[in-house]
Amino acid sequence: MRMSEGVEWGLHCCVMLHWLEDQWPAPTARLAAQFELPPEYLKKRLQTLVRAGILESIPGAQGGYQLARPPDRITLMDVVAAMDGREDAFRCTEIRQRGAGVEANPAELKRPCGISTAMRRAELAWRRELAATTLADVIAETPAPARRRALAFYERLGR
C-alpha cells in the first residue's frame, strides 16, 4: 500500500501536539519548521485532520492546532482515512471476463476470483492493524530521547 506523505506528516504532527499539550495551541509555522515542511501545504493537511475531528483549530494571532481528543482515542486508521480517504486500495475490474473470459461459463464468474479475494483479505488485515493501533501506542513506543530532542528543538524555534 502506498500512502501519501500527508499521512506521515499528520501522524508526526499529532505526536508532537500531544507532547506540547501544555503549550497548545501550536502554530502551523512552528510545526512546519519542526519538520522542515512547507507551511502552506502542512496547513492544508492539518485542516484535513480538523475536518475529521482529529485536531482542533484555534483562530487568531495566538492560534494554532491542538488534539481534538485524547491520543488513546485516535487510531492510525483515523489519520490514514482522513488524509487518503476510505477507498479500497485494490479495485477489481473483472478483467477475467474479457478476452478468453468472454467464453467462460457464467457460473464460474458468480464468485470473486482468487486474486480479488486475496487482495481484499490483505487490505482488511492492514486496516484492522491500523484501527487497532492508537496514537497513544505510537507515543508509548517513542524513545524518551527523541521526545526530549523534539521538544528542545521546538522551544528554540520560539513563538
Side-chain angles (χ1 to χ4, degrees):
M1 308 252 169
R2 184 176 194 117
M3 290 177 266
S4 72
E5 63 187 2
V7 170
E8 179 186 12
W9 294 11
L11 286 167
H12 278 285
C13 285
C14 285
V15 168
M16 191 70 195
L17 287 169
H18 169 70
W19 290 341
L20 294 169
E21 68 184 329
D22 61 334
Q23 300 177 46
W24 284 346
T28 306
R30 279 182 79 182
L31 287 171
Q34 177 75 21
F35 300 109
E36 297 182 353
L37 300 174
E40 283 305 310
Y41 185 72
L42 180 61
K43 183 178 180 180
K44 290 177 186 176
R45 301 299 94 215
L46 297 177
Q47 284 298 317
T48 299
L49 294 176
V50 168
R51 286 189 295 278
I54 296 167
L55 299 182
E56 289 180 11
S57 175
I58 311 301
Q62 298 299 311
Y65 294 91
Q66 62 190 39
L67 293 177
R69 53 188 196 254
D72 63 344
R73 294 193 49 232
I74 300 170
T75 69
L76 299 188
M77 191 67 232
D78 293 335
V79 176
V80 169
M83 293 299 201
D84 287 354
R86 296 191 176 274
E87 289 184 26
D88 291 341
F90 179 78
R91 290 170 198 86
C92 180
T93 61
E94 284 294 337
I95 66 169
R96 67 186 178 149
Q97 294 184 34
R98 298 186 225 156
V102 170
E103 298 173 10
N105 179 334
E108 291 177 53
L109 304 174
K110 286 192 187 269
R111 294 177 30 146
C113 72
I115 293 168
S116 181
T117 301
M119 296 301 270
R120 295 205 189 284
R121 230 180 10 250
E123 182 159 350
L124 182 59
W126 175 76
R127 287 178 182 273
R128 281 185 182 143
E129 182 63 26
L130 290 175
T133 306
T134 67
L135 192 58
D137 297 328
V138 172
I139 291 165
E141 292 177 14
T142 304
R147 179 182 184 267
R148 286 192 298 273
R149 253 190 329 275
L151 290 173
F153 186 84
Y154 185 85
E155 287 303 313
R156 286 194 304 271
L157 292 170
R159 202 171 223 322

